[in-house]
Amino acid sequence: MNSPAGGSPWRIYRRLLGLVRPYRWALLLALLGLLVEGAAAGAFGVLTKPMVDETFVARNREFGVLLPLAIVGIFVVRGGAGYLSDYFMARAARGVARDMRVRALDKYLRLPGLRFDAEPVPSMLVRLGSDSDQVAQAVVDAGKVMLQQSLQVVAMLAVMLYASWRVTLAVLLLGPLIAWLMDRVGRRYRRYGHKVQETAAQMMQAADQALSNQQEVKVYGARSAELARYTRLADDTLRLSLKVEATRSISSAIVQLTGAVGLALLLFFASREALAGRLTAGGFVQLMIAMLAIIPALKQLTNVQGMLHRGVASAERLFQVLDADDEVDTGQRPLPRAHGLIEFRDVSLRYPGQEKPALTGISFTARPGTVTAIVGRSGSGKSSLVKLIPRFYDPDAGQILLDGHPLSDYRLADLRRQVAMVGQQVMLFDGTVLENVAYGELQPATRAEVNRALEAANAMEFVSQLPEGEDSHIGIKGGRLSGGQRQRLAIARAMLKDAPILILDEATAALDNASERLVQDALAHLIPDRTTLVIAHRLSTVEHADQILVLDDGRLVEQGTHAELLARGGVYAHLHAMQFREASA
Ligand code: ADP
Ligand code: MG
């Protein structure tokens, strides 16, 4: 394997064992349980000989009572030991799965913005979900099965050797054949187990796409297309799982067949030993019962291979996430509260895999207490420009300064605390109005503060109409609110954050005129004393800005006030004329 996660399956496996270390006491207890279980199985095997020879052949009265008691005793001990091993194994396995998913989510939230362009969220969900479980299965459950069944095999082999070493050795000649068959089966598992996980992730992606955009799917009549895409993937998964299942079945058939051949051999050699007077009826029963107990153990040992390979594949994917580099955060300069002087110096940005740069040679200054409007056609780079300020992306060339120092001099958390953002799509989660407005606050905000923010954002007007006021639940992603209402909650959130830099990226583009006016009015409360960058689709909303930056194809083509730019008769004047014509049409 030549994955970036590094190295051979064995190295991955060693690293996985490291995950188990916090659970070593649980595992030790489980191991104790397994050993007792194995010993109990062995003890039962030993008892089978006197069961036949003493009870039926010699008709020993005493054994007729002692043996049944001993059998019950052995199984009581075995049951207790089984509980011990099951419980503590589960504790370790579930613990490892939990640790993996918590660490993966923590890591995802530290990864740079670029990562989210490259890996779709559903695939991240697979990492947190089934991949984490598979890893736990591989390290703990597979380990348990291997140990338990190997102990079973060893105990039963010991019983067989004790009964008759000659017969046992003769039957053991089958060993190499079994080993060879198991290896073949293992190979097949490896081939298909890998693919099953991959198609499962793709399937989840397709379903997520169709379900989260159900309205578009319906309106554009894309239902059959989406269904066809999903069906194709589901068929692939089905085909692969059938192959895995077939492998499992073939492997157990093979194991059964070898068992039958083994039994035939056993009978063949045992009859010769019996003729030679070296094997009693009880000895034969003992041999047979021990060998029959080995067969299911061998079967489980072959099945465990699939579990192991799936787990190693999942671990590889998880380690790739855990090993990815965090956002670069090396700044040290303290920044309690910025003044908000922002300076772009010849800044360029190109997204990986894109031929054209999104921004080229952008230079401007935005002073505290002023409004800088950014206009331009869609795709001209407006959003890319403002995303550089909280460092969602870093520029390829040039410098961005805040209060005279490069952004990278500050700690990321400090820098981002200075920025409040209201975008076109508002991030709301399933909670109350109160929780949504006070989202992420370091100190819990008081109700009075939240109410003040709601007032100022013109949101109180609709919040007070909700059944439980600011304690009302707003539905997943704020689904119970209208676009304008969601926007105003976002503004209230920005108000409460009270950051020195305010970024509005088409915050009102999706709204009708009446809600836009409400939102504009709310924004007017936010703007004084801050550095505001506003991207607006409708030029009427930027006329009063202190400066207007006109972007075209990632370049800053014009810069000035509304009046200056109109007088210039360039791109801005052209855009303006176009919108004016639309508005009066
Ligand atoms: P605007 O906000 O002015 O509509 P954007 O800044 O969103 O424009 O986009 C500018 C250019 O960068 C577009 O060509 C767009 O396709 C590209 N772009 C934006 N975001 C990404 C991204 N995450 N990955 C790759 N290309 C992107
Ligand atoms: Mg945009």
Side-chain angles (χ1 to χ4, degrees):
M1 270 180 240
N2 52 355
S3 65
S8 59
W10 176 235
R11 278 214 7 224
I12 291 175
Y13 209 78
R14 267 220 316 259
R15 190 163 164 197
L16 283 176
L17 289 181
L19 298 174
V20 172
R21 195 160 304 134
Y23 302 96
R24 54 186 181 278
W25 296 114
L27 285 176
L28 216 62
L29 282 170
L31 179 67
L32 186 72
L34 284 179
L35 287 174
V36 173
E37 248 185 311
F44 178 72
V46 170
L47 285 190
T48 50
K49 183 176 150 88
M51 247 182 253
V52 176
D53 287 345
E54 300 296 332
T55 316
F56 294 101
V57 182
R59 310 203 175 196
N60 189 329
R61 196 177 287 277
E62 229 169 283
F63 275 79
V65 181
L66 281 181
L67 275 177
L69 281 180
I71 289 172
V72 172
I74 285 173
F75 277 87
V76 166
V77 171
R78 192 180 171 161
Y83 177 80
L84 197 71
S85 65
D86 282 347
Y87 178 78
F88 284 102
M89 276 291 176
R91 190 160 162 167
R94 297 307 120 221
V96 168
R98 172 213 163 273
D99 294 351
M100 281 305 262
R101 50 173 68 101
V102 169
R103 277 169 61 184
L105 182 69
D106 180 43
K107 185 70 189 189
Y108 273 131
L109 289 175
R110 293 165 188 275
L111 292 178
L114 281 177
R115 174 78 188 208
F116 287 79
D117 297 335
E119 186 179 358
V121 169
S123 127
M124 297 184 172
L125 296 181
V126 172
R127 303 291 95 89
L128 300 179
S130 62
D131 273 342
S132 297
D133 285 327
Q134 307 257 353
V135 164
Q137 276 192 8
V139 273
V140 184
D141 297 341
K144 172 189 167 175
V145 173
M146 279 200 295
L147 207 65
Q148 196 173 34
Q149 303 309 325
S150 310
L151 278 173
Q152 171 93 353
V153 171
V154 169
M156 289 303 135
L157 264 183
V159 169
M160 284 176 76
L161 285 169
Y162 159 82
S164 162
W165 62 268
R166 284 191 182 87
V167 175
T168 307
L169 288 184
V171 173
L172 274 185
L173 290 177
L174 271 180
L177 180 67
I178 295 178
W180 179 76
L181 284 171
M182 282 189 3
D183 181 57
R184 295 300 301 248
V185 169
R187 269 168 220 264
R188 259 179 86 94
Y189 264 128
R190 239 176 315 229
R191 195 153 359 120
Y192 300 123
H194 233 68
K195 292 187 193 151
V196 166
Q197 278 291 302
E198 283 304 306
T199 46
Q202 281 171 9
M203 217 161 61
M204 199 146 152
Q205 237 156 278
D208 176 71
Q209 180 177 301
L211 294 176
S212 16
N213 302 314
Q214 49 101 10
Q215 291 179 347
E216 284 79 357
V217 170
K218 288 173 185 161
V219 155
Y220 288 101
R223 215 171 49 198
S224 51
E226 288 295 339
L227 192 62
R229 192 209 314 275
Y230 190 73
T231 310
R232 213 162 38 240
L233 290 168
D235 286 345
D236 285 348
T237 314
L238 175 68
R239 222 178 355 261
L240 282 171
S241 344
L242 282 181
K243 281 184 176 161
V244 171
E245 212 46 53
T247 310
R248 202 195 312 280
S249 171
I250 291 173
S251 87
S252 52
I254 289 174
V255 170
Q256 305 258 335
L257 189 67
T258 25
V261 174
L263 202 59
L265 280 175
L266 186 76
L267 194 57
F268 178 76
F269 289 113
S271 62
R272 313 184 121 223
E273 287 293 293
L275 284 180
R278 284 194 291 256
L279 192 62
T280 64
F284 174 68
V285 169
Q286 191 170 36
L287 271 174
M288 195 169 72
I289 285 183
M291 207 185 80
L292 289 178
I294 287 181
I295 292 169
L298 285 181
K299 188 175 151 185
Q300 293 231 36
L301 282 174
T302 45
N303 284 347
V304 107
Q305 294 214 31
M307 214 194 261
L308 267 179
H309 292 305
R310 274 197 306 278
V312 168
S314 291
E316 238 182 314
R317 285 189 291 262
L318 270 166
F319 287 152
Q320 268 173 28
V321 173
L322 294 180
D323 294 344
D325 291 325
D326 282 357
E327 286 183 292
V328 179
D329 188 9
T330 51
Q332 289 297 327
R333 177 176 292 279
L335 184 63
R337 187 180 173 88
H339 295 295
L341 175 66
I342 297 171
E343 222 179 314
F344 273 60
R345 289 187 185 160
D346 213 12
V347 169
S348 298
L349 170 72
R350 193 157 63 97
Y351 292 103
Q354 301 290 91
E355 273 187 24
K356 259 184 353 162
L359 295 171
T360 314
I362 305 282
S363 303
F364 70 93
T365 305
R367 287 176 212 293
T370 69
V371 175
T372 300
I374 305 166
V375 301
R377 285 177 302 159
S378 128
S380 56
K382 306 180 296 291
S383 299
S384 302
L385 189 153
V386 295
K387 280 182 200 164
L388 295 174
I389 296 172
R391 287 187 63 199
F392 293 150
Y393 299 92
D394 281 325
D396 297 296
Q399 246 191 343
I400 305 171
L401 310 176
L402 173 62
D403 293 352
H405 299 283
L407 293 183
S408 52
D409 279 9
Y410 303 110
R411 265 182 228 109
L412 271 181
D414 280 350
L415 173 68
R416 289 173 180 171
R417 218 177 31 240
Q418 316 299 324
V419 180
M421 260 185 142
V422 183
Q424 204 169 345
Q425 289 189 345
V426 178
M427 196 294 269
L428 295 174
F429 58 92
D430 186 21
T432 65
V433 170
L434 197 79
E435 288 162 350
N436 269 284
V437 173
Y439 182 68
E441 283 287 296
L442 293 180
Q443 290 111 18
T446 67
R447 196 168 275 267
E449 285 169 328
V450 171
N451 282 343
R452 220 173 307 131
L454 286 170
E455 284 298 347
N458 273 337
M460 214 40 174
E461 160 247 342
F462 75 86
V463 170
S464 58
Q465 307 270 310
L466 295 175
E468 289 165 72
E470 62 278 21
D471 292 315
S472 310
H473 281 261
I474 57 171
I476 290 163
K477 295 184 183 169
R480 293 192 199 139
L481 302 177
S482 78
Q485 292 172 337
R486 283 201 291 267
Q487 217 80 34
R488 279 178 276 165
L489 281 196
I491 292 169
R493 186 190 281 166
M495 292 262 183
L496 191 67
K497 187 172 180 184
D498 190 29
I501 300 168
L502 173 64
I503 295 173
L504 305 168
D505 186 352
E506 312 217 18
T508 61
L511 305 183
D512 57 73
N513 283 330
S515 357
E516 183 181 9
R517 221 176 356 262
L518 280 172
V519 172
Q520 288 289 355
D521 198 41
L523 288 175
H525 293 281
L526 256 183
I527 285 174
D529 323 317
R530 296 168 213 277
T531 309
T532 305
L533 289 113
V534 48
I535 298 174
H537 187 65
R538 271 167 247 186
L539 298 184
S540 57
T541 63
V542 306
E543 281 174 14
H544 304 292
D546 297 277
Q547 65 172 340
I548 300 171
L549 310 177
V550 184
L551 291 188
D552 193 32
D553 233 0
R555 287 170 198 280
L556 181 54
V557 289
E558 285 175 19
Q559 184 174 8
T561 64
H562 175 67
E564 286 165 7
L565 291 178
L566 273 191
R568 201 168 146 174
V571 178
Y572 183 80
H574 183 68
L575 283 172
H576 189 77
M578 248 173 24
Q579 285 209 348
F580 190 70
R581 227 181 4 253
E582 271 169 27
S584 54

